[in-house]
Structures are given as structure tokens and as C-alpha cells.
Coordinates of all heavy atoms in Angstrom, one line a residue:
M1 N 0.8 -1.2 0.0 CA 0.0 0.0 0.0 C 0.9 1.2 0.0 O 1.9 1.3 0.7 CB -0.9 0.0 1.2 CG -2.1 0.9 1.1 SD -3.3 0.6 2.4 CE -3.6 -1.1 2.4
A2 N 0.5 2.3 -0.8 CA 1.3 3.5 -0.9 C 1.4 4.2 0.5 O 0.6 4.0 1.4 CB 0.7 4.4 -1.9
A3 N 2.4 5.0 0.6 CA 2.7 5.7 1.8 C 3.2 7.1 1.5 O 3.7 7.4 0.5 CB 3.7 5.0 2.7
L4 N 3.0 8.0 2.5 CA 3.5 9.4 2.4 C 4.5 9.6 3.5 O 4.4 9.2 4.6 CB 2.3 10.4 2.7 CG 1.2 10.4 1.7 CD1 0.1 11.4 2.1 CD2 1.7 10.7 0.3
W5 N 5.6 10.2 3.1 CA 6.7 10.7 3.9 C 6.4 12.1 4.1 O 6.4 12.9 3.2 CB 8.0 10.4 3.2 CG 9.3 11.0 3.5 CD1 9.5 12.3 3.9 CD2 10.5 10.4 3.4 NE1 10.8 12.5 4.1 CE2 11.5 11.4 3.8 CE3 11.0 9.2 3.1 CZ2 12.9 11.1 3.8 CZ3 12.3 8.9 3.1 CH2 13.3 9.8 3.5
I6 N 6.2 12.5 5.3 CA 5.8 13.9 5.6 C 6.8 14.5 6.6 O 7.1 14.0 7.7 CB 4.4 14.0 6.3 CG1 3.4 13.3 5.4 CG2 4.0 15.4 6.6 CD1 2.0 13.0 6.0
T7 N 7.4 15.6 6.2 CA 8.5 16.2 7.0 C 8.1 17.7 7.2 O 7.7 18.4 6.3 CB 9.8 16.2 6.2 OG1 10.1 14.9 5.8 CG2 11.0 16.7 7.1
H8 N 8.2 18.1 8.4 CA 8.0 19.5 8.8 C 9.4 20.0 9.3 O 10.0 19.4 10.2 CB 7.0 19.7 9.9 CG 5.7 19.0 9.6 ND1 4.8 19.5 8.6 CD2 5.1 17.9 10.0 CE1 3.8 18.7 8.5 NE2 3.9 17.7 9.4
V9 N 9.9 21.1 8.7 CA 11.3 21.6 9.0 C 11.3 23.0 9.4 O 10.7 23.9 8.8 CB 12.1 21.3 7.7 CG1 13.6 21.7 8.0 CG2 12.0 19.9 7.2
D10 N 12.2 23.3 10.3 CA 12.6 24.7 10.6 C 14.1 24.7 10.4 O 14.9 24.1 11.1 CB 12.3 25.0 12.1 CG 12.5 26.4 12.5 OD1 12.9 27.2 11.6 OD2 12.3 26.8 13.6
V11 N 14.5 25.4 9.3 CA 15.9 25.5 8.9 C 16.6 26.5 9.8 O 16.1 27.7 9.9 CB 16.0 25.9 7.4 CG1 17.5 26.1 7.0 CG2 15.4 24.8 6.5
T12 N 17.7 26.1 10.4 CA 18.5 27.0 11.2 C 19.8 27.5 10.6 O 20.4 28.4 11.1 CB 18.8 26.3 12.6 OG1 19.5 25.1 12.3 CG2 17.5 26.1 13.4
D13 N 20.2 26.8 9.5 CA 21.5 27.2 8.8 C 21.2 26.9 7.3 O 21.3 25.8 6.9 CB 22.6 26.4 9.3 CG 24.0 26.7 8.7 OD1 24.0 27.2 7.5 OD2 25.0 26.5 9.3
E14 N 20.9 28.0 6.6 CA 20.5 27.8 5.2 C 21.6 27.2 4.3 O 21.3 26.4 3.5 CB 20.1 29.2 4.6 CG 18.8 29.8 5.2 CD 17.6 29.1 4.6 OE1 17.6 28.4 3.6 OE2 16.5 29.3 5.3
E15 N 22.8 27.6 4.6 CA 23.9 27.1 3.7 C 24.1 25.6 3.9 O 24.2 24.8 2.9 CB 25.2 27.8 4.1 CG 26.4 27.4 3.2 CD 27.6 28.2 3.5 OE1 27.5 29.4 4.0 OE2 28.7 27.7 3.2
E16 N 24.1 25.1 5.2 CA 24.3 23.7 5.4 C 23.1 22.9 5.0 O 23.2 21.8 4.4 CB 24.6 23.4 6.9 CG 26.0 23.7 7.3 CD 27.0 22.8 6.6 OE1 27.0 21.6 6.8 OE2 27.9 23.4 5.9
Y17 N 21.9 23.5 5.2 CA 20.7 22.8 4.8 C 20.6 22.7 3.3 O 20.1 21.7 2.7 CB 19.4 23.4 5.3 CG 18.2 22.5 5.3 CD1 18.0 21.6 6.2 CD2 17.3 22.7 4.2 CE1 16.9 20.7 6.1 CE2 16.2 21.8 4.1 CZ 16.0 20.9 5.1 OH 14.9 20.0 5.0
G18 N 21.2 23.6 2.6 CA 21.2 23.6 1.1 C 22.0 22.4 0.6 O 21.7 21.8 -0.4
K19 N 23.1 22.0 1.4 CA 23.8 20.8 1.0 C 23.0 19.6 1.2 O 23.1 18.6 0.4 CB 25.1 20.7 1.9 CG 26.1 21.8 1.7 CD 27.2 21.8 2.7 CE 28.1 23.0 2.5 NZ 29.2 23.0 3.6
Y20 N 22.2 19.5 2.2 CA 21.2 18.4 2.4 C 20.3 18.3 1.2 O 20.1 17.3 0.6 CB 20.4 18.6 3.7 CG 19.1 17.8 3.7 CD1 19.2 16.4 4.0 CD2 17.9 18.4 3.4 CE1 18.0 15.7 4.0 CE2 16.8 17.7 3.4 CZ 16.8 16.3 3.7 OH 15.7 15.6 3.6
A21 N 19.6 19.5 0.9 CA 18.7 19.5 -0.2 C 19.2 19.0 -1.5 O 18.6 18.3 -2.3 CB 18.0 20.9 -0.3
K22 N 20.5 19.4 -1.8 CA 21.1 19.1 -3.0 C 21.3 17.6 -3.2 O 21.2 17.0 -4.2 CB 22.5 19.8 -3.1 CG 23.2 19.5 -4.4 CD 24.5 20.3 -4.5 CE 25.2 20.1 -5.8 NZ 26.5 20.8 -5.9
L23 N 21.6 16.9 -2.0 CA 21.8 15.4 -2.1 C 20.5 14.7 -1.8 O 20.3 13.6 -2.4 CB 22.8 15.0 -1.0 CG 24.2 15.6 -1.2 CD1 25.0 15.2 0.1 CD2 24.8 14.9 -2.4
A24 N 19.6 15.2 -1.0 CA 18.4 14.5 -0.6 C 17.4 14.2 -1.8 O 16.9 13.1 -2.0 CB 17.7 15.2 0.5
G25 N 17.2 15.3 -2.6 CA 16.3 15.1 -3.8 C 16.6 14.0 -4.7 O 15.8 13.1 -4.9
P26 N 17.9 13.9 -5.2 CA 18.2 12.8 -6.0 C 18.1 11.4 -5.3 O 17.7 10.4 -5.9 CB 19.7 13.1 -6.4 CG 19.7 14.6 -6.3 CD 18.9 14.9 -5.2
A27 N 18.5 11.4 -4.0 CA 18.4 10.1 -3.3 C 17.0 9.6 -3.2 O 16.7 8.5 -3.3 CB 19.0 10.3 -1.9
I28 N 16.1 10.6 -2.9 CA 14.7 10.2 -2.8 C 14.1 9.8 -4.1 O 13.4 8.7 -4.1 CB 13.9 11.4 -2.2 CG1 14.3 11.6 -0.7 CG2 12.4 11.3 -2.3 CD1 13.9 12.9 -0.1
T29 N 14.3 10.5 -5.2 CA 13.8 10.1 -6.5 C 14.4 8.7 -6.9 O 13.7 7.9 -7.5 CB 14.0 11.1 -7.5 OG1 15.3 11.5 -7.6 CG2 13.1 12.4 -7.2
K30 N 15.7 8.5 -6.6 CA 16.3 7.2 -6.9 C 15.6 6.1 -6.3 O 15.5 5.0 -6.9 CB 17.8 7.2 -6.5 CG 18.5 5.9 -6.7 CD 19.9 6.0 -6.2 CE 20.6 4.6 -6.4 NZ 22.0 4.6 -5.9
H31 N 15.0 6.3 -5.1 CA 14.3 5.2 -4.4 C 12.8 5.2 -4.6 O 12.1 4.7 -3.8 CB 14.7 5.3 -2.9 CG 16.1 5.0 -2.6 ND1 16.5 3.7 -2.5 CD2 17.2 5.7 -2.6 CE1 17.8 3.6 -2.3 NE2 18.3 4.9 -2.3
G32 N 12.4 5.9 -5.7 CA 11.0 5.8 -6.1 C 10.1 6.9 -5.4 O 8.9 6.9 -5.6
G33 N 10.7 7.8 -4.7 CA 9.9 8.9 -4.1 C 9.4 9.9 -5.1 O 10.2 10.3 -6.0
E34 N 8.2 10.4 -5.0 CA 7.6 11.4 -5.8 C 7.2 12.6 -5.0 O 6.3 12.4 -4.1 CB 6.4 10.8 -6.6 CG 5.6 11.8 -7.4 CD 4.3 11.3 -7.9 OE1 4.0 10.1 -7.7 OE2 3.5 12.2 -8.4
F35 N 7.8 13.7 -5.2 CA 7.5 14.9 -4.4 C 6.1 15.4 -4.8 O 5.7 15.6 -5.9 CB 8.5 16.0 -4.7 CG 9.8 15.8 -4.0 CD1 10.8 15.1 -4.7 CD2 10.1 16.2 -2.7 CE1 12.0 14.8 -4.1 CE2 11.3 16.0 -2.1 CZ 12.3 15.3 -2.8
I36 N 5.3 15.6 -3.7 CA 3.9 16.1 -3.9 C 3.8 17.5 -3.4 O 3.2 18.4 -4.0 CB 2.9 15.2 -3.1 CG1 2.9 13.8 -3.6 CG2 1.5 15.8 -3.1 CD1 2.1 12.8 -2.8
A37 N 4.5 17.9 -2.3 CA 4.6 19.2 -1.8 C 6.0 19.4 -1.4 O 6.6 18.5 -0.8 CB 3.6 19.5 -0.7
R38 N 6.6 20.6 -1.6 CA 8.0 20.9 -1.3 C 8.2 22.3 -1.0 O 8.6 23.1 -1.8 CB 8.8 20.4 -2.5 CG 10.3 20.3 -2.1 CD 11.0 19.7 -3.3 NE 12.4 19.3 -2.9 CZ 13.2 18.8 -3.7 NH1 12.9 18.6 -5.0 NH2 14.4 18.4 -3.3
G39 N 7.8 22.7 0.3 CA 8.1 24.1 0.7 C 7.1 25.2 0.3 O 7.4 26.3 0.5
G40 N 6.0 24.8 -0.3 CA 5.1 25.9 -0.8 C 4.3 26.5 0.3 O 4.6 26.4 1.5
A41 N 3.3 27.3 -0.1 CA 2.4 28.0 0.9 C 1.7 27.0 1.8 O 1.4 25.9 1.4 CB 1.4 28.8 0.1
Y42 N 1.5 27.4 3.0 CA 0.8 26.5 4.0 C 0.0 27.4 5.0 O 0.3 28.6 5.1 CB 1.8 25.6 4.7 CG 2.7 26.4 5.7 CD1 2.3 26.4 7.1 CD2 3.8 27.1 5.3 CE1 3.1 27.1 8.0 CE2 4.5 27.8 6.2 CZ 4.2 27.8 7.5 OH 4.9 28.5 8.4
K43 N -0.8 26.8 5.7 CA -1.6 27.4 6.8 C -1.5 26.5 8.0 O -2.0 25.4 8.0 CB -3.1 27.6 6.4 CG -3.9 28.3 7.4 CD -3.5 29.7 7.6 CE -4.5 30.4 8.6 NZ -4.1 31.7 8.9
Q44 N -0.8 27.0 9.0 CA -0.7 26.2 10.3 C -2.0 26.3 11.1 O -2.4 27.4 11.5 CB 0.5 26.7 11.1 CG 0.8 25.9 12.3 CD 1.5 24.6 12.0 OE1 2.1 24.5 11.0 NE2 1.2 23.6 12.8
M45 N -2.6 25.2 11.3 CA -3.9 25.2 12.0 C -3.7 24.7 13.5 O -4.5 25.2 14.4 CB -4.9 24.3 11.3 CG -5.2 24.7 9.9 SD -5.8 26.4 9.7 CE -7.4 26.2 10.3
E46 N -2.8 23.8 13.8 CA -2.6 23.3 15.1 C -1.1 22.9 15.2 O -0.5 22.7 14.2 CB -3.5 22.1 15.4 CG -4.9 22.4 15.5 CD -5.7 21.1 15.9 OE1 -5.2 20.2 16.6 OE2 -6.9 21.1 15.6
G47 N -0.7 22.8 16.5 CA 0.7 22.3 16.7 C 1.8 23.3 16.5 O 1.5 24.5 16.2
R48 N 3.0 22.8 16.5 CA 4.2 23.6 16.3 C 4.4 23.9 14.9 O 4.4 23.1 14.0 CB 5.4 22.9 16.9 CG 6.6 23.7 16.8 CD 7.8 23.1 17.5 NE 8.9 23.9 17.3 CZ 10.1 23.6 17.6 NH1 10.4 22.5 18.3 NH2 11.1 24.4 17.4
E49 N 4.5 25.2 14.6 CA 4.8 25.7 13.2 C 6.2 25.4 12.8 O 7.1 25.8 13.5 CB 4.4 27.2 13.1 CG 4.6 27.7 11.7 CD 4.1 29.1 11.6 OE1 3.8 29.8 12.6 OE2 4.0 29.5 10.4
R50 N 6.4 24.8 11.7 CA 7.7 24.7 11.0 C 7.4 25.2 9.6 O 6.6 24.6 8.9 CB 8.2 23.3 11.1 CG 8.4 22.8 12.5 CD 9.3 21.5 12.5 NE 9.4 20.9 13.8 CZ 10.4 21.2 14.6 NH1 11.2 22.1 14.4 NH2 10.4 20.6 15.8
P51 N 8.2 26.2 9.1 CA 7.9 26.8 7.9 C 8.1 26.1 6.6 O 7.7 26.5 5.5 CB 8.7 28.1 7.9 CG 9.8 27.9 8.9 CD 9.2 26.9 9.9
R52 N 8.8 24.9 6.7 CA 9.1 24.2 5.5 C 8.4 22.8 5.6 O 8.6 22.1 6.6 CB 10.6 24.0 5.2 CG 10.9 23.2 3.9 CD 12.3 23.4 3.5 NE 12.6 22.6 2.4 CZ 12.3 22.9 1.1 NH1 11.7 24.1 0.9 NH2 12.7 22.2 0.1
N53 N 7.5 22.5 4.7 CA 6.8 21.2 4.7 C 7.0 20.5 3.4 O 6.8 21.0 2.4 CB 5.3 21.5 5.0 CG 5.1 22.3 6.3 OD1 5.1 21.7 7.3 ND2 4.9 23.6 6.2
V54 N 7.3 19.2 3.6 CA 7.5 18.4 2.4 C 6.7 17.1 2.5 O 6.7 16.4 3.5 CB 9.1 18.0 2.3 CG1 9.3 17.1 1.1 CG2 9.9 19.3 2.3
V55 N 6.1 16.7 1.4 CA 5.3 15.5 1.3 C 5.8 14.7 0.1 O 5.8 15.3 -1.0 CB 3.8 15.8 1.2 CG1 3.0 14.5 1.1 CG2 3.3 16.6 2.4
I56 N 6.1 13.4 0.3 CA 6.7 12.6 -0.7 C 5.9 11.3 -0.8 O 5.6 10.7 0.3 CB 8.1 12.3 -0.5 CG1 8.9 13.6 -0.4 CG2 8.7 11.4 -1.6 CD1 10.3 13.4 0.3
R57 N 5.5 10.8 -1.9 CA 4.7 9.6 -2.1 C 5.7 8.5 -2.4 O 6.5 8.6 -3.3 CB 3.7 9.7 -3.1 CG 2.7 8.6 -3.3 CD 1.7 8.8 -4.3 NE 0.6 7.9 -4.3 CZ 0.6 6.7 -4.7 NH1 1.7 6.1 -5.2 NH2 -0.5 5.9 -4.6
F58 N 5.6 7.3 -1.7 CA 6.3 6.1 -2.0 C 5.3 5.0 -2.3 O 4.2 5.1 -1.8 CB 7.2 5.8 -0.8 CG 8.5 6.6 -0.8 CD1 8.5 7.8 -0.1 CD2 9.6 6.1 -1.4 CE1 9.7 8.5 0.0 CE2 10.8 6.9 -1.3 CZ 10.8 8.1 -0.6
E59 N 5.8 3.9 -2.9 CA 4.9 2.8 -3.1 C 4.5 2.0 -1.9 O 3.5 1.3 -1.9 CB 5.5 1.8 -4.1 CG 6.7 1.1 -3.6 CD 7.4 0.2 -4.6 OE1 7.3 0.5 -5.8 OE2 8.0 -0.9 -4.2
S60 N 5.2 2.2 -0.8 CA 4.9 1.5 0.5 C 5.7 2.1 1.6 O 6.7 2.9 1.4 CB 5.3 0.0 0.4 OG 6.7 -0.1 0.2
I61 N 5.3 1.8 2.8 CA 6.1 2.2 4.0 C 7.5 1.6 3.9 O 8.5 2.3 4.2 CB 5.4 1.8 5.3 CG1 4.3 2.7 5.6 CG2 6.4 1.9 6.5 CD1 3.5 2.4 6.9
A62 N 7.6 0.4 3.5 CA 8.9 -0.3 3.4 C 9.8 0.4 2.4 O 11.0 0.6 2.6 CB 8.7 -1.8 2.9
A63 N 9.3 0.9 1.3 CA 10.1 1.6 0.3 C 10.6 3.0 0.9 O 11.7 3.4 0.6 CB 9.3 1.9 -1.0
A64 N 9.7 3.7 1.6 CA 10.1 4.9 2.2 C 11.2 4.7 3.3 O 12.1 5.4 3.4 CB 8.9 5.6 2.9
E65 N 11.0 3.6 4.1 CA 12.0 3.3 5.1 C 13.4 2.9 4.4 O 14.4 3.3 4.9 CB 11.6 2.1 5.9 CG 10.6 2.5 7.0 CD 10.3 1.3 7.9 OE1 9.6 0.4 7.4 OE2 10.8 1.3 9.0
A66 N 13.3 2.2 3.3 CA 14.5 1.8 2.6 C 15.2 3.1 2.1 O 16.5 3.1 2.1 CB 14.2 0.9 1.5
C67 N 14.5 4.0 1.6 CA 15.1 5.3 1.1 C 15.7 6.0 2.3 O 16.9 6.4 2.2 CB 14.0 6.2 0.5 SG 14.6 7.8 0.1
Y68 N 15.0 6.1 3.4 CA 15.5 6.8 4.6 C 16.8 6.2 5.1 O 17.8 6.9 5.4 CB 14.5 6.8 5.7 CG 15.0 7.6 6.9 CD1 14.7 9.0 7.0 CD2 15.7 7.0 8.0 CE1 15.1 9.7 8.1 CE2 16.1 7.8 9.0 CZ 15.8 9.1 9.1 OH 16.3 9.8 10.2
N69 N 16.9 4.9 5.1 CA 18.1 4.2 5.6 C 19.2 4.0 4.5 O 20.2 3.4 4.9 CB 17.6 2.8 6.2 CG 16.8 3.0 7.4 OD1 17.1 3.8 8.3 ND2 15.7 2.2 7.5
S70 N 18.9 4.4 3.3 CA 19.9 4.2 2.2 C 21.2 5.0 2.5 O 21.1 6.1 3.1 CB 19.3 4.6 0.9 OG 19.2 6.0 0.8
P71 N 22.3 4.6 2.0 CA 23.6 5.3 2.2 C 23.4 6.7 1.5 O 24.0 7.7 2.1 CB 24.6 4.5 1.4 CG 24.1 3.1 1.4 CD 22.6 3.3 1.4
E72 N 22.7 6.9 0.4 CA 22.6 8.2 -0.3 C 21.8 9.1 0.6 O 22.2 10.3 0.8 CB 21.9 8.0 -1.6 CG 22.5 7.1 -2.6 CD 22.1 5.6 -2.5 OE1 21.4 5.3 -1.5 OE2 22.4 4.9 -3.4
Y73 N 20.7 8.7 1.2 CA 19.9 9.6 2.0 C 20.6 9.9 3.3 O 20.6 11.0 3.8 CB 18.5 9.1 2.3 CG 17.7 10.1 3.0 CD1 17.2 11.2 2.3 CD2 17.5 10.1 4.3 CE1 16.5 12.2 2.9 CE2 16.8 11.1 5.0 CZ 16.3 12.2 4.2 OH 15.6 13.2 4.9
Q74 N 21.3 8.9 3.9 CA 22.0 9.1 5.2 C 23.1 10.1 5.0 O 23.4 11.0 5.9 CB 22.5 7.8 5.7 CG 21.4 7.0 6.3 CD 20.7 7.6 7.4 OE1 21.3 8.0 8.4 NE2 19.3 7.7 7.3
E75 N 23.8 10.1 3.8 CA 24.8 11.1 3.5 C 24.2 12.5 3.5 O 24.8 13.5 4.1 CB 25.5 10.8 2.2 CG 26.5 11.8 1.8 CD 27.1 11.6 0.4 OE1 26.7 10.6 -0.3 OE2 27.9 12.4 0.0
A76 N 23.0 12.7 2.9 CA 22.4 14.0 2.9 C 21.9 14.4 4.3 O 22.1 15.5 4.7 CB 21.1 13.9 1.9
L77 N 21.4 13.4 5.0 CA 20.8 13.7 6.3 C 21.9 14.2 7.3 O 21.6 15.0 8.2 CB 20.2 12.4 6.9 CG 19.4 12.6 8.2 CD1 18.3 13.6 8.0 CD2 18.8 11.2 8.6
A78 N 23.1 13.8 7.1 CA 24.2 14.3 7.9 C 24.3 15.9 7.9 O 24.6 16.5 8.9 CB 25.5 13.8 7.5
F79 N 23.9 16.5 6.8 CA 23.9 17.9 6.7 C 22.7 18.6 7.3 O 22.7 19.7 7.8 CB 24.0 18.4 5.2 CG 25.3 18.1 4.6 CD1 25.4 17.0 3.7 CD2 26.4 18.8 4.8 CE1 26.7 16.7 3.1 CE2 27.7 18.5 4.3 CZ 27.8 17.5 3.4
A80 N 21.6 17.8 7.4 CA 20.3 18.4 7.9 C 20.3 18.4 9.4 O 19.7 19.2 10.1 CB 19.1 17.6 7.4
K81 N 21.0 17.4 10.0 CA 20.9 17.2 11.5 C 21.3 18.4 12.3 O 20.7 18.7 13.3 CB 21.7 16.0 11.9 CG 21.0 14.7 11.5 CD 21.7 13.5 12.0 CE 20.9 12.3 11.6 NZ 21.5 11.0 12.1
D82 N 22.4 19.1 11.9 CA 22.8 20.3 12.6 C 22.4 21.6 12.0 O 22.7 22.7 12.5 CB 24.3 20.3 12.8 CG 24.8 19.2 13.7 OD1 24.1 18.8 14.6 OD2 26.0 18.7 13.5
S83 N 21.6 21.5 11.0 CA 21.2 22.8 10.3 C 19.6 23.0 10.3 O 19.1 23.9 9.6 CB 21.7 22.8 8.9 OG 21.1 21.8 8.1
S84 N 18.9 22.1 11.0 CA 17.5 22.2 11.1 C 16.9 21.4 12.3 O 17.6 20.6 12.9 CB 16.9 21.6 9.8 OG 17.2 20.2 9.7
E85 N 15.7 21.8 12.6 CA 14.9 21.0 13.5 C 13.8 20.4 12.7 O 13.1 21.1 11.9 CB 14.3 21.9 14.6 CG 15.4 22.5 15.5 CD 14.8 23.5 16.5 OE1 13.5 23.5 16.7 OE2 15.6 24.2 17.1
R86 N 13.6 19.1 12.7 CA 12.7 18.4 11.8 C 11.8 17.4 12.6 O 12.2 16.8 13.6 CB 13.5 17.6 10.8 CG 14.4 18.4 10.0 CD 15.5 17.6 9.3 NE 15.3 16.2 9.0 CZ 15.0 15.7 7.8 NH1 15.0 16.5 6.7 NH2 14.8 14.5 7.6
D87 N 10.7 17.2 12.0 CA 9.8 16.1 12.4 C 9.5 15.3 11.1 O 9.2 15.9 10.0 CB 8.5 16.6 12.9 CG 8.6 17.4 14.2 OD1 9.3 16.8 15.1 OD2 8.1 18.5 14.3
L88 N 9.6 14.0 11.1 CA 9.4 13.2 9.9 C 8.6 12.0 10.3 O 8.9 11.3 11.3 CB 10.7 12.7 9.3 CG 10.7 12.1 7.9 CD1 12.0 12.3 7.2 CD2 10.3 10.6 8.0
V89 N 7.5 11.7 9.5 CA 6.6 10.6 9.8 C 6.3 10.0 8.4 O 6.2 10.7 7.4 CB 5.3 11.0 10.5 CG1 4.5 12.0 9.7 CG2 4.6 9.8 11.0
I90 N 6.2 8.7 8.4 CA 5.8 7.9 7.2 C 4.4 7.3 7.5 O 4.3 6.6 8.5 CB 6.8 6.8 6.8 CG1 8.2 7.4 6.6 CG2 6.3 6.0 5.6 CD1 9.3 6.4 6.5
V91 N 3.4 7.6 6.7 CA 2.1 7.2 6.9 C 1.5 6.4 5.8 O 1.6 6.9 4.6 CB 1.2 8.5 7.1 CG1 -0.3 8.1 7.4 CG2 1.7 9.4 8.3
E92 N 0.9 5.3 6.1 CA 0.3 4.5 5.0 C -1.0 5.1 4.5 O -1.8 5.6 5.4 CB 0.1 3.1 5.6 CG -0.3 2.1 4.5 CD -0.4 0.7 5.1 OE1 -1.2 0.4 5.9 OE2 0.5 -0.2 4.7
L93 N -1.2 5.1 3.2 CA -2.4 5.6 2.7 C -3.5 4.6 2.8 O -3.3 3.4 2.9 CB -2.2 6.0 1.2 CG -1.3 7.2 0.9 CD1 -1.1 7.3 -0.6 CD2 -1.9 8.4 1.4
L94 N -4.8 5.1 2.8 CA -5.9 4.2 2.8 C -6.0 3.5 1.5 O -5.6 4.0 0.4 CB -7.2 5.0 3.0 CG -7.3 5.7 4.4 CD1 -8.6 6.6 4.4 CD2 -7.4 4.7 5.5
D95 N -6.5 2.3 1.5 CA -6.6 1.5 0.3 C -7.8 2.0 -0.5 O -8.8 2.4 -0.1 CB -6.8 0.0 0.7 CG -6.8 -0.9 -0.5 OD1 -6.4 -0.5 -1.6 OD2 -7.2 -2.1 -0.4

């Protein structure tokens, strides 16, 4: 069943986070991820506001997890860890 990778991000260091973004996009598409939303306009209705929101569709939770754990994505993630505050969840879509 398809799944969504949903990330809410507050970037604290634009330059370092840019290095993450440069590597993360190709890593995600290599693993079958399709960007649905990537930093566009949003309206915060509840919870903690994080100004960058990304939604990616994968064929399954397993595919999204494989992407996250891949060497390519982990290389990118090394740049995001100290340059942002992030929440990431993978959610299975309804059948």
C-alpha cells in the first residue's frame, strides 16, 4: 500500500541545509519517491509551526524506510541534522 513521507522543517542554517537538499532530492527520487509538496504555501492550524513542509509519495512504508536508511539519504541527512529542526513521519495511505 502506498505511503506518504511527511516532513516539517525549521531551517536554522540555510547554507548547510542547502547541502542536504542538493543530495536528498536525487536520493529520494532514486528510491521511487515522488514529491507532492515541497516548501510551498501553507496554513498552520494546530501544533508547532515549522515553515518548510515536504510530502513525498512512495509505493509503500517499506520503500520509504529503505530510502531513509539508504547510504545516499544518510549522507544527505548528515547535513540536515545540525542545520534544522525536523519532524518526519511515514504514513500508510488508505486502500
Side-chain angles (χ1 to χ4, degrees):
M1 200 170 309
L4 297 177
W5 161 321
I6 304 167
T7 309
H8 306 289
V9 185
D10 188 2
V11 176
T12 57
D13 182 333
E14 293 285 344
E15 185 176 334
E16 281 298 297
Y17 196 80
K19 295 174 186 176
Y20 160 79
K22 184 177 180 179
L23 295 172
I28 289 167
T29 55
K30 176 182 177 180
H31 291 275
E34 174 191 352
F35 285 90
I36 296 172
R38 197 173 191 181
Y42 72 97
K43 179 69 176 177
Q44 185 73 30
M45 301 302 287
E46 292 185 24
R48 182 172 178 186
E49 182 173 12
R50 295 195 188 271
R52 183 164 176 78
N53 301 283
V54 179
V55 180
I56 305 163
R57 186 178 196 282
F58 282 89
E59 68 182 32
S60 64
I61 286 178
E65 282 184 287
C67 176
Y68 184 88
N69 292 318
S70 71
E72 300 91 350
Y73 187 76
Q74 288 298 306
E75 178 184 0
L77 190 57
F79 291 104
K81 287 186 176 183
D82 291 331
S83 65
S84 64
E85 295 178 13
R86 302 161 26 105
D87 297 309
L88 190 153
V89 63
I90 300 168
V91 180
E92 190 172 66
L93 292 173
L94 295 174
D95 188 15

